[in-house]
Amino acid sequence: QSALTQPPSVSGSPGQSVTISCTGTSSDVGSYNRVSWYQQPPGTAPKLMIYEVSNRPSGVPDRFSGSKSGNTASLTISGLQAEDEADYYCSSYTSSSTPRVVFGGGTKLTVL
Amino acid sequence: QVQLQESGPGLVKPSQTLSLTCTVSGGSISSGGYYWSWIRQHPGKGLEWIGYIYYSGSTYYNPSLKSRVTISVDTSKNQFSLKLSSVTAADTAVYYCARVSGYTRFDYWGQGTLVTVSS
């Protein structure tokens, strides 16, 4: 069982917006602004899309945005495009026992 | 442009030790400022953080794997390595290496290598 909880799947039509949630605890998401999001198309390595809750690396479209409220972080993709179809993973820093990283179970985004 | 490349056996027998190396190009491990990490992904499943190492040799491991994992660094070769002992079929996965900043920003990844544990 993953430490961070994500919905198994979400879907949306081209042009629409979708939001993927990532729920943790007060030991990880709730205590640290060190939440990242990764996009993983089938058969490829993950790609960093958002770091430190809401920051985009260079080259990531501004259609991708991140936020956090309490123990839940969210990734919003606006203006959905067919190329956005992939698995998405969140991660967070946690120090519940020893400093470490936890990932979510992943969410499959389907563009209808 | 930083690039990472995993290498090592694709098949390991049960009870043996899995050994992988990640070669870094386009940047120096010894320059500091980053952790260097191993992550794995079981077939059809999510990502699991294994651990990471700083150029000085400081390491942090996933508590669930800590008793079997060793991550080491060779700055002279600009490589870092993973050893996972006493493997079982449950260790069959794609293993990725990655560069990490700010503890959780995995900004550069290798392409991944599939390791199968089977006799």
Side-chain angles (χ1 to χ4, degrees), chain B residues 77-92:
Chain B
K77 295 181 179 180
N78 220 30
Q79 297 175 333
F80 62 106
S81 299
L82 168 69
K83 290 188 185 299
L84 181 65
S85 63
S86 305
V87 297
T88 69
D91 294 308
T92 293

Side-chain angles (χ1 to χ4, degrees), chain A residues 81-97:
Chain A
Q81 299 181 4
E83 67 202 50
D84 299 332
E85 186 162 292
D87 293 328
Y88 290 83
Y89 294 91
C90 62
S91 73
S92 176
Y93 176 84
T94 176
S95 63
S96 58
S97 55

Side-chain angles (χ1 to χ4, degrees), chain B residues 6-22:
Chain B
E6 305 90 350
S7 60
L11 181 64
V12 181
K13 289 182 167 50
S15 80
Q16 293 190 340
T17 295
L18 178 160
S19 296
L20 295 174
T21 295
C22 183

